[in-house]
Amino acid sequence: ESFIRHLAPVKYQLYRLLLKVLNVYHSGSSVDLELQEMMQSLQILYGKKLYASCQKVLIKAKKLALEHEKFLFLLDITTWERRFAPEAELKAYENIYMEECRLLEIYRNMSEHIFAFNQMRVLHNNITIPRSPAEKKMYADLVSVSPDAGGKGPLSYRAKVFRFSRYDIYYDAMNEFGKAEENMGELITLMESSPARLGEDLDNYISVLYNYG
């Protein structure tokens, strides 16, 4: 009853968020293209030895990539930063190295959470409603071997989205509606915290809206 009672406010909340997302959708979907153009500009400016202009573009590209968690672009940016690092300062190269290690860790963590979600989704597609103890154990085993079990929580926005989505499947399959409602509320809160990022993944948001509408 609690789940049904709270469904109408949640639907309204999701609808309000959809309108907000649609306003930023076009700008959000063009982030990759904008970053690609910036990287091309870096090549042109560097080739013409316009280093000051090159560094300005580099700063702008890094800011945009950080805002949208574009980790592969950020790794490319560190390569450019290494070109401009003072040759006599080892600390500058050490900082770039540490930044690359951090980005790789976050990217790997995100990939692990995406894989864990896909494992749960494939199981759910094959066994939508687990009835036997063996089938329920299959679900429980996936939770126990998830990235969370290793002490590595989600380190990025996208990893958090996939973690919530994975547990949504699990709670739904196990008929744990109270936990499903709580999990859904946390997912909505996360999405509302970053409408620009959500605008880049509108299909996923619409899927959430459809499932809980």
Side-chain angles (χ1 to χ4, degrees):
E1 291 184 11
S2 174
F3 179 76
I4 296 175
R5 186 170 63 253
H6 287 85
L7 189 57
V10 169
K11 286 175 65 177
Y12 170 74
Q13 194 174 15
L14 286 170
Y15 173 74
R16 182 169 56 84
L17 180 57
L18 176 59
L19 294 179
K20 185 188 299 184
V21 169
L22 287 172
N23 288 329
V24 300
Y25 173 67
H26 292 292
S27 60
S29 63
S30 65
V31 171
D32 283 349
L33 179 59
E34 186 174 355
L35 284 168
Q36 288 171 4
E37 292 174 349
M38 287 182 180
M39 302 309 287
Q40 291 174 355
S41 296
L42 287 173
Q43 291 282 2
I44 295 171
L45 293 169
Y46 191 83
K48 294 182 178 295
K49 302 187 186 307
L50 298 173
Y51 301 132
S53 297
C54 191
Q55 287 180 295
K56 288 180 181 179
V57 173
L58 189 60
I59 292 171
K60 185 178 179 181
K62 185 172 185 178
K63 182 177 183 294
L64 182 63
L66 283 170
E67 288 174 352
H68 294 270
E69 292 189 340
K70 300 296 183 179
F71 299 115
L72 297 181
F73 280 108
L74 286 167
L75 286 169
D76 282 343
I77 288 169
T78 60
T79 300
W80 279 97
E81 289 178 328
R82 191 177 289 108
R83 293 188 185 187
F84 292 107
E87 294 183 0
E89 295 183 16
L90 180 59
K91 185 64 176 178
Y93 292 100
E94 181 181 346
N95 289 339
I96 293 171
Y97 166 71
M98 295 301 293
E99 176 69 1
E100 288 175 330
C101 290
R102 187 185 71 86
L103 290 170
L104 287 169
E105 179 185 4
I106 296 173
Y107 189 77
R108 176 173 180 143
N109 174 269
M110 182 180 70
S111 296
E112 288 174 347
H113 279 277
I114 293 173
F115 179 63
F117 164 77
N118 283 322
Q119 284 181 303
M120 188 70 73
R121 183 172 63 172
V122 168
L123 175 60
H124 188 61
N125 286 338
N126 289 307
I127 306 175
T128 304
I129 303 175
R131 293 184 170 86
S132 69
E135 290 176 340
K136 293 180 179 180
K137 184 176 183 300
M138 293 173 69
Y139 274 88
D141 286 346
L142 283 186
V143 172
S144 67
V145 299
S146 72
D148 301 309
K152 293 185 294 184
L155 301 178
S156 63
Y157 169 84
R158 196 170 182 211
K160 292 175 184 177
V161 169
F162 276 99
R163 181 186 184 278
F164 283 126
S165 299
R166 172 164 50 88
Y167 275 96
D168 172 57
I169 295 174
Y170 175 75
Y171 292 138
D172 180 65
M174 305 301 287
N175 291 327
E176 297 184 18
F177 298 119
K179 291 182 179 180
E181 180 183 357
E182 181 180 353
N183 184 73
M184 180 178 65
E186 293 180 10
L187 175 57
I188 293 170
T189 298
L190 174 66
M191 289 179 167
E192 286 185 325
S193 72
S194 185
R197 289 177 186 169
L198 182 59
E200 299 173 57
D201 195 14
L202 189 58
D203 288 344
N204 183 45
Y205 170 71
I206 292 175
S207 176
V208 173
L209 183 65
Y210 176 80
N211 288 332
Y212 296 105

